[in-house]
Amino acid sequence: MFLPPFLLWGLAGAVLAGISLGLLSVFVTQMKLSSLSFTMSHAAFAGAALGMLINLDDLVFAMAFALIVAAVLGPLADKAKLHVDVVIGALFPLTIALAFLFISFNADALKGGGMLSLIWGSILALTPFKVVLLAVLSIVLGVVVFLFYKEFSALLMNRKLAEYSGIKTWIFYDSILFLTGAAVALSLRLLGGVLIFVLMVTPAAIASQFSYDLKKIMIVAPAVGAIFCLIGFYASYIIDWPVGCTIAIISTLFFLISVFISPKRRKKFSG
Amino acid sequence: MIIELDNVTTLYDGANVPTITNINLKVKRGDFIGVIGPNAVGKTTLLETINGVLKASRGTVKVFGKDASIDGSEIRKKVGYLPQDVSFDEESPFLVRDVVLMGRYGAMGILKSPKQCDYELVFNALSRIGIMHLADRPVGKLSGGELQKVMFARTVAKTPKVMLLDEPFNNLDMGAREELVEILSKIHKDMNLTTLMIIHEIDYLSKINVCNRVVLMRNGTIAEDTTPTKILKSKTLVESFRRDH
Ligand SMILES: Nc1ncnc2c1ncn2[C@@H]1O[C@H](COP(=O)(O)OP(=O)(O)O)[C@@H](O)[C@H]1O
Ligand SMILES: [Mg+2]
């Protein structure tokens, strides 16, 4: 409303990022992919830092790094062949180390330029092209989930049971990993490599405080994500804090409130 | 033959000895086979090899004439499999009616949404098994016995051609077991099914007279393939089974 016109693209991008990551957060939490997506977002962070260091497109590198992690860790997480947490624990320092290394190699970083905003996000980071891509991604995601809601809900409930019922679950599982990688890479510059993770868990965590109905959770979580990004974006503009930080703080605040007022928890206390 | 296993050996990834070895088994339409054997003998592995979730490392598995290592998901659309251990998060956002309906999702096919008749089959199954009152309960908040019945309803609502039941009496008390056996034998007949049921205790065989065949497993192989009466008459068999236990 009171934003200068050059920020309107960024605002639209923020809302789209909130919608797509919010919807994906339902999958991430229900399919126990939070450690996987945690590693994925930091790999994208390292990829973007590398892209910026060598003056090539950060988006392509972020996407490539995120998808490599998905391709390598996806099957492991899926078959539970080795403790995923162990792999994540080993990979997380590596991805962060690489990201910081690429940032430190970059002379611009010392001048406080674009590189540091890679860590905590920037309302100026989204180009119109990326916003259009985010819009395409949000639409594709929405359509895919709508068309195959039956299969996705079975996958979310229990992958083994879905497989027993005759669904070829790998197609749906892999497409979620792919879409998550794409959403992370596209919203990385806006939200920041370290803080993007908050939107991959919190919206679904809040939505599921209020319902046992997956359909409702899938509608509420993207709405919640969009609202957080909208408020966070304005707050960042007004008080001039990094946008990744404002969104993370708002999300966590609302999560705490939702846990406190959740009807599920109230029932538990009264027995 | 509805199910045909020809010299089947199954190895888990990373294991160096096969879990089941050289299994030959032919199952006719209408058979009700009890699969009995001590813990870790490979009973569950056998069922999962039949429905194609596990690929046989050697030999061929054919169900409805289709090769399970190629057409596994097609086979599973017509197989009602009741797995041994299922659990849900306490907060799982699914109601019992959803879980039972979802058993049908594979068979319904892609891009099709549930119809009136699907919902009717769900409620028929729930009422047949006597758990209509659980329909709107969150699935994560059930007791072990209730969940076991829900999973059985899911298997029935699927209207399968073949039922594979892995220790269906788990978590049920004596009364509930007897009830379930009655329902089971009735459903087997009414729905023209072919059923394989894993039973853990051999003594239980005498209490249920639903099986027309019994397969006794030992060390990953089929040690006996005979009738329940023969098994129960043969003291040596029962004793040797108890020793294995
Ligand atoms: N996913 C697996 N990977 C490796 N070994 C397994 C796996 N599942 C089962 N086994 C092993 O295979 C053997 C047979 O298991 P199972 O078929 O479940 O036996 P049963 O159902 O008769 O108790 C056991 O020794 C078990 O440890
Ligand atoms: Mg077993």
Side-chain angles (χ1 to χ4, degrees):
Chain A
M1 275 149 264
F2 308 110
L3 286 179
F6 69 93
L7 279 180
L8 289 178
W9 279 106
L11 183 70
V15 170
L16 290 166
I19 291 173
S20 49
L21 289 173
L23 181 53
L24 284 165
S25 73
V26 180
F27 291 85
V28 168
T29 51
Q30 288 295 323
M31 286 159 71
K32 313 257 176 301
L33 294 175
S34 55
S35 5
L36 177 63
S37 54
F38 186 68
T39 314
M40 209 148 114
S41 58
H42 292 106
F45 176 36
L50 176 63
M52 287 171 82
L53 174 64
I54 58 181
N55 261 323
L56 286 171
D57 191 45
D58 58 281
L59 175 62
V60 174
F61 280 84
M63 188 94 79
F65 274 46
L67 295 181
I68 288 171
V69 166
V72 173
L73 285 187
L76 294 180
D78 174 27
K79 287 196 178 140
K81 263 192 205 156
L82 52 141
H83 272 288
V84 187
D85 283 344
V86 176
V87 182
I88 309 291
L91 272 181
F92 169 65
L94 175 69
T95 53
I96 287 288
L98 286 177
F100 287 167
L101 210 63
F102 297 145
I103 289 176
S104 75
F105 284 162
N106 195 318
D108 290 346
L110 304 174
K111 295 182 224 140
M115 275 309 249
L116 282 183
S117 76
L118 194 52
I119 301 175
W120 48 61
S122 157
I123 53 176
L124 297 170
L126 288 186
T127 58
F129 175 63
K130 268 190 199 162
V131 176
V132 170
L133 285 183
L134 260 176
V136 172
L137 176 81
S138 306
I139 291 167
V140 169
L141 181 65
V143 169
V144 166
V145 172
F146 180 78
L147 284 181
F148 303 104
Y149 178 76
K150 185 164 107 274
E151 284 75 18
F152 280 118
S153 63
L155 181 62
L156 287 183
M157 184 181 79
N158 184 316
R159 179 162 185 188
K160 267 198 178 150
L161 289 181
E163 193 70 32
Y164 297 151
S165 93
I167 295 171
K168 286 183 180 144
T169 57
W170 68 268
I171 300 173
F172 302 98
Y173 183 87
D174 286 4
S175 51
I176 284 301
L177 289 186
F178 177 80
L179 289 165
T180 307
V184 165
L186 280 169
S187 13
L188 190 80
R189 296 294 310 279
L190 173 76
L191 298 161
V194 181
L195 296 167
I196 190 170
F197 183 67
V198 75
L199 280 183
M200 304 179 76
V201 173
T202 318
I206 292 176
S208 54
Q209 293 301 322
F210 297 97
S211 180
Y212 284 108
D213 184 342
L214 183 67
K215 266 190 195 129
K216 284 183 195 146
I217 293 175
M218 282 206 182
I219 292 166
V220 173
V224 164
I227 292 168
F228 290 169
C229 285
L230 195 72
I231 302 176
F233 196 92
Y234 268 102
S236 164
Y237 172 67
I238 293 165
I239 55 182
D240 200 23
W241 288 5
V243 64
C245 302
T246 53
I247 291 176
I249 291 167
I250 289 164
S251 305
T252 313
L253 220 57
F254 274 89
F255 175 64
L256 293 177
I257 295 172
S258 77
V259 170
F260 195 66
I261 62 172
S262 160
K264 287 191 184 178
R265 244 140 283 273
R266 223 177 298 146
K267 245 181 252 156
K268 219 181 262 172
F269 287 136
S270 61
Chain B
M1 289 297 148
I2 295 269
I3 301 172
E4 227 175 327
L5 277 75
D6 188 19
N7 236 353
V8 168
T9 295
T10 304
L11 244 125
Y12 282 102
D13 284 348
N16 37 23
V17 282
T19 297
I20 52 173
T21 324
N22 295 333
I23 301 271
N24 288 293
L25 183 69
K26 285 189 166 62
V27 182
K28 289 196 308 290
R29 177 196 292 279
D31 269 350
F32 198 128
I33 303 183
V35 179
I36 305 188
N39 262 326
V41 78
K43 304 181 296 296
T44 300
T45 307
L46 175 65
L47 290 200
E48 300 210 339
T49 305
I50 290 174
N51 74 14
V53 180
L54 291 172
K55 303 249 177 306
S57 331
R58 254 178 290 137
T60 51
V61 178
K62 287 213 163 134
V63 185
F64 315 120
K66 290 189 182 122
D67 191 326
S69 63
I70 302 165
D71 286 325
S73 68
E74 286 308 307
I75 291 171
R76 287 191 289 279
K77 287 176 184 175
K78 290 187 251 166
V79 171
Y81 176 42
L82 177 73
Q84 187 172 7
D85 319 287
V86 183
S87 61
F88 293 93
D89 277 358
E90 212 187 308
E91 300 282 298
S92 181
F94 296 94
L95 306 177
V96 165
R97 59 200 299 168
D98 302 328
V99 174
V100 175
L101 178 69
M102 283 161 130
R104 302 187 53 75
Y105 277 8
M108 280 159 63
I110 236 153
L111 297 174
K112 301 249 165 52
S113 40
K115 304 238 156 39
Q116 187 61 30
C117 67
D118 295 300
Y119 295 108
E120 272 164 22
L121 284 165
V122 168
F123 286 108
N124 283 344
L126 288 173
S127 81
R128 245 184 137 153
I129 290 145
I131 50 168
M132 201 61 165
H133 60 286
L134 298 179
D136 290 314
R137 294 262 293 273
V139 70
K141 312 244 164 171
L142 301 176
S143 74
E146 286 170 333
L147 182 59
Q148 189 69 13
K149 287 183 186 171
V150 169
M151 293 313 294
F152 185 56
R154 179 180 153 108
T155 312
V156 171
K158 190 175 179 180
T159 56
K161 300 253 176 301
V162 165
M163 262 201 308
L164 304 176
L165 308 172
D166 200 344
E167 305 196 19
F169 305 114
N170 271 358
N171 295 317
L172 298 179
D173 57 41
M174 262 309 164
R177 285 179 186 205
E178 268 152 36
E179 228 174 276
L180 184 63
V181 169
E182 294 232 325
I183 298 169
L184 199 56
S185 81
K186 203 158 177 309
I187 284 172
H188 173 81
K189 280 188 204 109
D190 292 353
M191 290 170 58
N192 238 328
L193 285 168
T194 307
T195 305
L196 270 80
M197 175 168 78
I198 294 177
I199 316 168
H200 183 59
E201 307 108 280
I202 199 164
D203 297 303
Y204 207 65
L205 195 59
S206 55
K207 299 202 180 72
I208 52 175
N209 52 350
V210 284
C211 305
N212 68 322
R213 245 172 100 184
V214 173
V215 164
L216 213 67
M217 287 188 75
R218 188 174 296 142
N219 300 327
T221 60
I222 293 182
E224 295 286 335
D225 184 349
T226 171
T227 62
T229 27
K230 277 204 185 120
I231 289 227
L232 292 168
K233 265 189 200 147
S234 156
K235 283 231 160 51
T236 47
L237 268 179
V238 175
E239 284 312 312
S240 83
F241 182 88
R242 291 225 176 90
R243 257 201 324 279
D244 287 347
H245 234 65

